[in-house]
Amino acid sequence: MCGITGWVAYQRDLTLNRAEVDAMTQTMSCRGPDASGTWLDHHAALGHRRLAVIDLPGGAQPMTVRTPEGDVTMVYSGEAYNFTELREELRAAGHRFDTDSDTEVVLHGYLEWGDALVDRLNGMYAFAIWDARTERLVMIRDRMGIKPFYYYPTDDGVVFGSEPKAILANPLVSPVVGADGLRELFSFLKSPGAAVWEGMAEVRPGEIITLDRKGLHRRTYWRLRSEPHTDSIEQTVTHVRELLDDIVKRQLVADVPRCTLLSGGLDSSALTALAALHLAPAGETVRSFAVDFPDQEKHFQAMDVSPTQDTPYVHAVAEHLGNAHQDIVLDGAALSAPAVRRAAVGARDLPVGIGDRDNSLYLLFSAVRKHSTVALSGESADEVFGGYPWFHDERREADTFPWMAGGPSLMGDARQVDRELAQTLELDRYVADAYHAAVAETPTLSGETGLDARMRVVSHLHLTRMVQLLLDRKDRMSMAVGLEVRVPFCDHRLVQYVFNTPWSIKTFDGREKSLLRAATRELLPDVVANRKKSGYPGTFDPNYVTAIQDQAAELLADDHPAVGLLDREVLRGATAAAPEDITQRQRTVLERALDLGAWFAAYNPTIRV
């Protein structure tokens, strides 16, 4: 896993812009702490920061293959989990390899198959290829959008990077956020292709973008398809297990220490158990990590998406599997430290506003990175298998995104916004338009009606909208400390198969995630297999609440620009509330204010509404 960046300009000589390309590349240093490289030609410049995971001595980038017609050069971030099979196929076709890296396999795959390479890849990736033979840039992102990839069209080309910060380091780009950018921020959406920063866009999941002298050309090479599901319940469970076995086996391949992120929920516990199963023949013990907070049992408050504490279930799994487990305990002082918030906001380039859950994830990954370079995560299982509460109650019928139905939550609350700004942004209308556009994208199945048809829509919303928020968060927080997090449940084969499974089979045991539970139950303690969905935990430490109240009060007293975007009265009331009585809405506006403060300090954005 790495960080990539680049600049193509058909009316410039980019060999004169090494300093600018070096600066863009340097912004990716956290994503790639092991090595740095740049490559410049007259009209193209590429930069790369490497996190070495496979073939540590080899795999240096940018990587070039020389041909009689011209050089072909690539910068690549991610992993191709089927690179060994592809390498054998390419060798049979006459290709020769100098390294054992998947990077070289992908580059030779492009030489052999051109853009059709994407149809053969299994993995998570974002990469760019400059083909000097045709003066053409190719930008490709994985099917599910696991790896981030942003770009900024210019008058004579494009600037691109793994993260916006790389693009913002280019002298052609200014840190401007317009009305649509604010709408994305305050509505807690991640619309396909949107990047918040004005003029910037994101390569969409499953998309290939090419650039030549005629301009940019976009093509979707993969999207979810609707097709009949003919397997029985028993056949479906068996196939899900077969897929999971193959996926986990592939994603355990690395030349560096590996671990799992264990929450004690069904998703992460199943992955940990499968990892243990596959590592045991080699005499390896799986290592796992979990986050916890001091006195959590004393302060814990059950919520819709987090009804139970994690720790008892985490320990039950660790004892059952005999894995080497470690709890990472984070206190309120660490979570509320301004330096930690600045790091978390800087990792995401945006003030998302979920505060302690981002701060704790950053600190968790920092601690894990001291022991492991690669971690397997249960992220996205809820989107794939239908794990959230709103999959199973009246919210699934709402005329909006189900996770937004029923009022404000920790995911966002339009009432945080300054009232005059709220009128200008028309957030309710923006969300409604985004929802109906997303519904219109859902592929239909002939003859499907009623609940099955509606749940196909709900699943599609989660797999194309909700999952993007979570994958971006997981990637950006982990790569900020040089930790590669792999997400087995996002393997496109599994996603496509389960997407087309009828809702009656997905819930055949009368509850959430029936298929995953049935496919892995034999590996887990009953108490874990039967546990209800419980999301990533937050801290309920009153000392943390007091600290963020004090920090937000300082922003108010200083009349900080961040405060101007929010409803001052709501924020003032939140700073004055008794910590033990603070509401979720009040806590959310405190977190949003502090994230905005850190964002303004780091990026000094120009707001244009």
Side-chain angles (χ1 to χ4, degrees):
M1 203 103 82
C2 309
I4 66 172
T5 189
W7 186 2
V8 172
Y10 291 108
Q11 297 175 19
R12 289 175 180 260
D13 181 358
L14 291 179
T15 61
L16 304 176
N17 293 94
R18 180 173 293 278
E20 290 85 349
V21 176
D22 286 346
M24 294 164 61
T25 304
Q26 179 59 28
T27 66
M28 300 285 96
S29 59
C30 291
R31 294 186 71 91
D34 296 326
S36 177
T38 55
W39 174 92
L40 288 85
D41 201 355
H42 290 297
H43 299 307
L46 304 175
H48 185 267
R49 294 290 310 209
R50 187 183 185 206
L51 175 64
V53 172
I54 293 175
D55 186 15
L56 306 192
Q61 297 185 51
M63 184 175 285
T64 299
V65 173
R66 301 189 181 281
T67 77
E69 296 80 22
D71 293 352
V72 180
T73 305
M74 181 174 75
V75 283
Y76 173 83
S77 170
E79 305 291 347
Y81 300 125
N82 63 335
F83 79 98
T84 54
E85 298 100 309
L86 293 177
R87 184 169 55 204
E88 291 310 306
E89 187 175 355
L90 289 165
R91 277 179 173 155
H95 291 259
R96 305 180 72 172
F97 295 90
D98 297 321
T99 75
D100 294 324
S101 70
D102 60 333
T103 303
E104 189 178 17
V105 172
V106 173
L107 181 53
H108 278 264
Y110 172 78
L111 292 173
E112 179 69 21
W113 301 303
D115 296 354
L117 159 71
V118 297
D119 299 322
R120 298 172 179 263
L121 292 176
N122 177 307
M124 56 178 187
Y125 45 81
F127 60 94
I129 296 173
W130 174 251
D131 192 336
R133 300 172 299 181
T134 54
E135 289 195 321
R136 177 175 178 260
L137 178 73
V138 182
M139 298 183 289
I140 295 173
R141 191 176 182 204
D142 66 70
R143 295 171 178 83
M144 290 296 293
I146 303 167
K147 304 310 297 174
F149 200 170
Y150 295 84
Y151 67 101
Y152 183 97
T154 65
D155 290 341
D156 69 335
V158 71
V159 180
F160 65 84
S162 291
E163 299 180 4
K165 58 175 64 70
I167 297 171
L168 292 170
N170 186 285
L172 299 180
V173 185
S174 299
V176 177
V177 176
D180 278 346
L182 291 179
R183 290 182 179 110
E184 286 285 308
L185 275 180
F186 287 111
S187 59
F188 203 80
L189 288 176
K190 196 171 192 315
S191 301
V196 175
W197 300 98
E198 199 160 277
M200 198 180 298
E202 190 171 22
V203 181
R204 298 185 181 202
E207 187 174 62
I208 177 170
I209 298 179
T210 58
L211 171 72
D212 56 28
R213 289 184 178 273
K214 295 180 181 179
L216 285 169
H217 315 278
R218 296 175 48 216
R219 176 174 71 85
T220 299
Y221 69 87
W222 186 87
R223 59 168 57 92
L224 284 167
R225 307 181 310 276
S226 284
E227 49 197 23
H229 183 87
T230 58
D231 291 348
S232 67
I233 292 176
E234 293 76 13
Q235 290 170 326
T236 302
V237 170
T238 298
H239 190 55
V240 166
R241 176 57 184 272
E242 290 171 347
L243 284 170
L244 288 172
D245 278 325
D246 181 67
I247 292 164
V248 171
K249 182 180 179 180
R250 290 179 182 275
Q251 297 199 19
L252 284 171
V253 174
D255 296 330
V256 292
R258 300 147 300 178
C259 69
T260 66
L261 304 174
L262 180 60
S263 70
L266 176 61
D267 318 334
S268 65
S269 301
L271 284 185
T272 301
L274 288 166
L277 188 68
H278 287 287
L279 291 175
E284 291 188 61
T285 299
V286 67
R287 183 160 200 166
S288 60
F289 295 89
V291 68
D292 199 8
F293 309 97
D295 299 321
Q296 183 77 335
E297 69 283 354
K298 175 181 177 182
H299 301 301
F300 179 78
Q301 298 173 24
M303 299 174 62
D304 183 27
V305 294
S306 299
T308 55
Q309 297 178 58
D310 284 350
T311 303
Y313 300 94
V314 167
H315 293 173
V317 174
E319 181 178 352
H320 181 76
L321 297 177
N323 52 306
H325 178 75
Q326 181 177 343
D327 290 329
I328 306 299
V329 182
L330 307 172
D331 63 27
L335 290 171
S336 63
V340 172
R341 188 176 297 271
R342 287 194 298 270
V345 171
R348 300 188 73 175
D349 293 311
L350 293 174
V352 179
I354 58 175
D356 74 284
R357 284 171 168 79
D358 273 358
N359 298 355
S360 66
L361 194 62
Y362 176 84
L363 291 172
L364 169 64
F365 288 157
S366 297
V368 171
R369 183 62 177 87
K370 295 175 183 178
H371 307 279
S372 298
T373 309
V374 169
L376 269 61
S377 166
E379 194 75 85
S380 307
D382 291 303
E383 289 77 16
V384 173
F385 290 101
Y388 293 113
W390 47 80
F391 272 92
H392 306 273
D393 61 28
E394 68 281 357
R395 286 172 289 183
R396 67 189 182 190
E397 302 291 346
D399 191 30
T400 188
F401 297 105
W403 55 90
M404 294 186 181
S409 70
L410 62 88
M411 294 180 178
D413 181 354
R415 291 173 294 176
Q416 301 169 358
V417 183
D418 171 77
R419 294 172 188 178
E420 184 176 336
L421 177 61
Q423 290 180 344
T424 301
L425 296 180
E426 297 184 286
L427 292 177
D428 288 344
R429 180 175 179 178
Y430 185 74
V431 171
D433 289 346
Y435 167 73
H436 290 114
V439 170
E441 292 178 9
T442 305
T444 58
L445 183 65
S446 178
E448 188 174 64
T449 60
L451 182 59
D452 276 332
R454 177 57 187 172
M455 295 314 296
R456 182 177 297 276
V457 171
V458 171
S459 294
H460 195 266
L461 291 173
H462 283 78
L463 293 169
T464 61
R465 298 308 194 271
M466 179 69 162
V467 79
Q468 288 302 300
L469 287 163
L470 301 177
L471 289 175
D472 185 74
R473 172 175 179 258
K474 187 63 65 77
D475 173 89
R476 305 287 284 281
M477 287 300 177
S478 61
M479 292 305 293
V481 298
L483 176 69
E484 175 174 302
V485 173
R486 299 177 178 180
V487 282
F489 291 116
C490 278
D491 185 291
H492 70 280
R493 299 169 298 164
L494 178 69
V495 174
Q496 176 67 32
Y497 182 75
V498 178
F499 174 66
N500 282 296
T501 303
W503 186 243
S504 58
I505 294 181
K506 288 180 183 177
T507 56
F508 74 86
D509 65 358
R511 53 179 308 188
E512 79 285 353
K513 292 186 283 195
S514 305
L515 290 175
L516 179 59
R517 182 176 298 102
T520 59
R521 176 182 283 279
E522 61 168 307
L523 304 174
L524 302 172
D526 285 342
V527 67
V528 173
N530 294 323
R531 185 188 181 194
K532 285 190 65 175
K533 158 70 185 173
S534 196
Y536 182 81
T539 181
F540 297 93
D541 184 350
N543 293 322
Y544 174 80
V545 176
T546 299
I548 65 173
Q549 285 179 305
D550 291 343
Q551 293 168 19
E554 292 179 13
L555 293 180
L556 277 166
D558 294 340
D559 197 24
H560 193 283
V563 175
L565 296 175
L566 300 174
D567 187 318
R568 291 172 186 266
E569 293 307 310
V570 173
L571 180 58
R572 190 170 287 111
T575 62
E580 64 273 14
D581 296 328
I582 198 164
T583 65
Q584 183 60 53
R585 179 190 177 198
Q586 289 173 320
R587 180 160 167 172
T588 303
V589 76
L590 291 171
E591 302 283 13
R592 176 73 80 176
L594 296 179
D595 279 7
L596 282 166
W599 185 56
F600 271 92
Y603 295 89
N604 191 26
T606 298
I607 306 298
R608 292 179 183 165
V609 181

